[in-house]
């Protein structure tokens, strides 16, 4: 099995050299636009590419407004800040995620509550969230969601679209509405993924995208905050740009702000990359189809897009029949220069989140023991 898989991956990427998990490709106008920023001297926080990149992402995702940030973590931080998450508040999220999801709320002094995933998308399970809230929370007279045992406020629910596969957003939105929680989507991995015809990140009040080097398209480092409401987008732009009031020469800032604006240099790269997103997504889908065909009729289950969605197949994954099969797959492939990786360690095992509240995490634990990510770079 392992050897045949290695042969398949080498065939897909047509190389005998080391094959990374995910590498970017620059085959369009990247150098042209980057040179333009240098020639114009506008390499920093002001420049035409930042506005253009925001408008193009807003157009591509059909969202109200998009605000570019220095990275995805900064976009998440800003989303939680604007959702009024304060020190001591609780936020429901998943234990199976990249650490940035939890770091963002930690920076506000808030605490995660780890809820299980469902096995279709490997994203936050709306039934598990509803059950945990029904057992552990109530709405007070002001309509605030309160954790019974601690009296702390629960402010938001933060699902992550794992590997690009859209979470069950309608159901999560219903839970959010029922419990008066702000729905924030960690869509860092899901640019180009659609939920029932809508782009991921446009169902919640806020969403964060990432353009880190390993994501579907890259700006080197970068992120984007998507906002459903115009008023939220205005606030987002304001607080991410030092909360300066517009004036030709005076400095006046009307609240504590962040310096989270994406530099023009990075946005130029993003504009060029976004021009390539069609071929990138086509290639990723073809690669996923090769894996899918390979694992059919084996006891390994290739992770496919949920049937309500169209996924970007950002990071391909296979669910191994046992933990030992997973270990063998990881060992043999990595030994032979085909990079594979286990999924992230669950957040509640990390020292800084070890004492946080958890629901039942049995599905997350199964995923942790069985999943392997496979090489997924687009070929364009
Ligand atoms: C990549 C990623 C982020 C944010 O990443 P940045 O490196 O800060 O851009 C956040 N959440 C998840 C799940 C991610 O995969």
């Amino acid at each position: 099995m392992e050897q045949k898989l290695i042969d398949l991956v080498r065939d897909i990427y047509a190389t005998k050299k080391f094959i990374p998990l995910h590498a970017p490709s620059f085959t369009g106008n990247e150098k042209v636009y980057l040179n333009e920023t240098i020639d114009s001297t506008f390499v920093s926080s002001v420049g035409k590419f930042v506005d253009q990149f925001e408008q193009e992402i807003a157009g591509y995702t059909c969202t109200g407004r998009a605000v570019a940030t220095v990275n995805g973590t900064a976009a998440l931080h800003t989303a939680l800040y604007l959702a009024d998450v304060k020190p001591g508040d609780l936020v429901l999220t998943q234990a199976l995620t990249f650490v940035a999801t939890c770091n963002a709320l930690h920076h506000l002094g808030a605490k995660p509550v780890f809820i299980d995933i469902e096995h279709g998308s490997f994203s936050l399970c709306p039934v598990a969230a509803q059950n945990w809230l029904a057992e552990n929370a109530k709405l007070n007279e002001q309509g605030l969601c309160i954790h019974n045992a601690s009296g702390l406020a629960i402010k938001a629910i933060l699902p992550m679209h794992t590997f690009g596969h859209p979470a069950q957003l309608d159901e999560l939105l219903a839970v959010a509405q029922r419990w008066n929680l702000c729905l924030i989507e960690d869509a860092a991995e899901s640019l180009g993924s659609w939920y029932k015809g809508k782009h991921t990140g446009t169902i919640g009040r806020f969403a964060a995208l990432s353009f880190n080097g390993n994501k579907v398209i890259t700006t080197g480092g970068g992120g984007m905050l998507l906002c459903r409401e115009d008023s939220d987008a205005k606030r987002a732009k304001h607080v991410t740009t030092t909360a300066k009031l517009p004036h030709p020469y005076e400095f006046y800032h009307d609240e504590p702000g962040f310096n989270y604006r994406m530099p023009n240099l990075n946005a130029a790269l993003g504009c060029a990359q976004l021009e390539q997103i069609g071929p990138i997504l086509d290639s990723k889908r073809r690669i996923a189809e090769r894996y899918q065909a390979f694992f059919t009729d084996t006891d390994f289950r290739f992770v496919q897009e949920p049937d309500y969605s169209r996924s970007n197949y950002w990071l391909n994954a296979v669910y191994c029949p046992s933990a030992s099969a997973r270990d063998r797959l990881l060992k043999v492939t990595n030994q032979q220069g085909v990079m594979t990786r286990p999924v992230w360690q669950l957040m509640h095992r990390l020292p800084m989140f070890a004492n946080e509240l958890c629901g039942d995490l049995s599905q997350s634990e199964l995923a942790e023991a069985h999943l392997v990510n496979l090489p997924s770079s687009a070929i364009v």
Side-chain angles (χ1 to χ4, degrees):
M1 211 305 287
E2 291 82 15
Q3 196 54 53
K4 280 201 180 126
L5 177 62
I6 289 166
D7 294 344
L8 172 77
V9 178
R10 293 216 170 278
D11 187 51
I12 291 173
Y13 289 101
T15 179
K16 299 223 151 37
K17 295 195 201 124
F18 172 75
I19 297 173
L21 201 65
H22 204 288
S25 51
F26 304 113
T27 54
N29 286 316
E30 286 85 356
K31 286 181 183 166
V32 178
Y33 295 170
L34 282 170
N35 274 329
E36 214 178 304
T37 67
I38 292 166
D39 292 342
S40 73
T41 76
F42 285 98
V43 294
S44 194
S45 48
V46 176
K48 71 164 200 182
F49 285 113
V50 184
D51 299 333
Q52 186 184 323
F53 191 45
E54 286 178 339
Q55 281 161 21
E56 286 175 356
I57 289 286
Y60 181 77
T61 58
C62 301
T63 188
R65 289 276 297 276
V67 177
T69 57
V70 285
N71 56 52
T73 311
L76 273 176
H77 186 198
T78 308
L80 290 155
Y81 178 76
L82 295 181
D84 199 37
V85 173
K86 296 239 158 68
D89 288 342
L90 300 175
V91 175
L92 266 53
T93 191
Q94 53 202 69
L96 183 88
T97 186
F98 177 58
V99 71
T101 315
C102 299
N103 283 343
L105 59 99
H106 179 81
H107 294 325
L108 287 164
K111 289 166 170 299
V113 178
F114 296 118
I115 302 293
D116 214 0
I117 52 159
E118 38 83 14
H119 243 219
S121 69
F122 292 94
S123 303
L124 193 66
C125 175
V127 176
Q130 166 57 30
N131 288 345
W132 188 87
L133 287 162
E135 269 169 41
N136 294 286
K138 61 168 185 290
L139 291 173
N140 73 5
E141 306 85 66
Q142 289 88 43
L144 263 181
C145 185
I146 302 293
H147 178 232
N148 293 330
S150 65
L152 297 173
I154 308 171
K155 289 279 183 67
I157 182 164
L158 177 55
M160 191 278 277
H161 303 293
T162 305
F163 311 141
H165 300 310
Q168 297 178 359
L169 285 165
D170 282 344
E171 292 81 357
L172 287 165
L173 184 63
V175 172
Q177 284 167 345
R178 180 160 173 191
W179 293 92
N180 196 16
L181 307 175
C182 180
L183 176 63
I184 301 172
E185 298 173 60
D186 183 342
E189 305 181 353
S190 69
L191 180 69
S193 294
W194 304 79
Y195 172 82
K196 298 185 183 171
K198 292 184 194 144
H199 196 278
T200 50
T202 64
I203 284 85
R205 182 171 152 200
F206 297 106
L209 304 178
S210 168
F211 309 107
N212 192 40
N214 63 341
K215 297 293 175 13
V216 170
I217 64 167
T218 185
T219 59
M224 192 76 76
L225 178 57
L226 306 183
C227 306
R228 268 219 333 259
E229 309 292 336
D230 253 14
S231 54
D232 281 337
K234 282 206 185 73
R235 286 264 308 132
K237 182 76 143 260
H238 189 60
V239 300
T240 53
T241 54
T242 72
K244 183 182 180 300
L245 294 192
H247 191 280
Y249 46 86
E250 293 282 359
F251 284 102
Y252 185 76
H253 307 261
D254 63 352
E255 62 177 309
F258 301 105
N259 179 18
Y260 277 173
R261 186 89 170 135
M262 177 187 281
N264 201 41
L265 205 59
N266 302 79
L269 194 59
C271 288
Q273 286 267 283
L274 193 56
E275 291 172 356
Q276 303 292 318
I277 195 164
I280 288 173
L281 293 176
D282 288 348
S283 168
K284 292 177 83 66
R285 181 161 287 270
R286 279 197 301 276
I287 293 165
E289 282 164 4
R290 296 282 303 270
Y291 285 128
Q292 164 63 24
F294 176 84
F295 286 113
T296 308
D297 303 327
T298 72
D299 48 3
F300 289 72
R301 175 170 80 87
F302 179 68
V303 178
Q304 281 184 281
E305 61 196 354
D307 53 16
Y308 51 75
S309 72
R310 187 173 174 87
S311 174
N312 62 8
Y313 283 100
W314 169 58
L315 207 50
N316 290 298
V318 66
Y319 192 89
C320 302
S322 64
S324 57
R326 179 199 77 151
D327 293 343
R328 196 162 54 244
L329 181 59
L330 286 168
K331 191 162 167 226
V332 178
T333 49
N334 282 295
Q335 266 171 357
Q336 296 199 36
V338 170
M339 186 173 172
T340 60
R341 235 179 25 182
V343 74
W344 314 279
Q345 286 217 14
L346 299 181
M347 291 300 111
H348 71 296
R349 301 196 201 285
L350 302 181
M352 62 286 195
F353 302 122
N355 297 318
E356 306 300 355
L357 293 164
C358 293
D360 169 67
L361 294 176
S362 47
Q363 296 300 315
S364 309
E365 281 163 6
L366 280 172
E368 181 189 39
H370 289 250
L371 281 177
V372 171
N373 287 123
L374 304 168
S376 302
S377 313
I379 307 161
V380 287

